[in-house]
Amino acid sequence: MSKGHSIFGFVCGVFAFAALPAQAVTLAECDRTIYISHGGESDHRDLGAGRVEYVEWWSQEGVFNDIVLANCESGTFLRTRVREARISDRAPFDVSKKTRKLIDVELTASPALFSFERLADALKGTGRDIEIAQLDAEPCACAAQYPALRGSKTPFEDIQ
């Protein structure tokens, strides 16, 4: 797997073929285990202005937590690793609280001033493996909070 891609993303891609039809969901329903008991999404929250946040997690023979922020309309997302142990050769770390505080400070900026590039700069030295990329599929939190912003992205499908 290339750097910046999570095991979670790989697992979701492998099991996407078994998806059920898209259905209306709430943020609470987006918190779910996606791969047996080893990986999932949690802590979904609406950030306003068409943006959402959630945590992708993994916990088999190692753990990680990635915070993901997504712009539901453009499909742009930022992912940063905030917790890791026994996943790589790196020393274990947990910068979850510090990273969340930095994100919350950046979110106080006017929507016109907020950008994932600016947030990535603010997270340098705290978050790890910061990645800004483009979504092809709608995340659950976007389906729950901003379904009208889906555009041409593949609609969210619950893969449970």
Side-chain angles (χ1 to χ4, degrees):
M1 240 175 290
S2 65
K3 182 177 178 185
H5 288 54
S6 68
I7 293 169
F8 175 77
F10 172 75
V11 169
C12 284
V14 169
F15 289 97
F17 70 90
L20 301 172
Q23 23 185 316
V25 293
T26 65
L27 282 182
E29 292 169 324
C30 288
D31 283 4
R32 64 204 194 281
T33 301
I34 295 175
Y35 182 67
I36 308 176
S37 63
H38 313 309
E41 295 179 356
S42 63
D43 302 327
H44 292 76
R45 66 180 185 151
D46 181 359
L47 303 177
R51 299 179 308 237
V52 296
E53 177 190 287
Y54 54 96
V55 173
E56 292 180 343
W57 59 269
W58 182 261
S59 65
Q60 181 180 11
E61 308 212 12
V63 298
F64 75 73
N65 289 36
D66 291 347
I67 292 179
V68 180
L69 289 88
N71 180 312
C72 296
E73 184 171 22
S74 70
T76 305
F77 73 91
L78 180 144
R79 173 185 288 122
T80 184
R81 175 85 24 113
V82 297
R83 178 177 173 235
E84 180 180 290
R86 299 177 316 280
I87 291 288
S88 69
D89 293 337
R90 296 190 284 207
F93 62 89
D94 185 347
V95 293
S96 301
K97 289 180 183 177
K98 186 174 182 181
T99 302
R100 177 92 52 213
K101 284 180 185 176
L102 288 170
I103 290 170
D104 288 344
V105 166
E106 286 299 311
L107 288 171
T108 62
S110 157
L113 297 177
F114 178 87
S115 74
F116 287 138
E117 291 77 14
R118 179 178 153 153
L119 178 58
D121 285 343
L123 294 175
K124 284 182 183 169
T126 301
R128 312 277 174 93
D129 306 332
I130 299 168
E131 169 190 24
I132 299 174
Q134 199 67 31
L135 294 165
D136 295 327
E138 176 185 44
C140 183
C142 289
Q145 296 301 115
Y146 300 101
L149 299 181
R150 178 179 304 125
S152 62
K153 290 179 287 306
T154 303
F156 168 75
E157 294 181 343
D158 188 352
I159 59 172
Q160 288 185 327

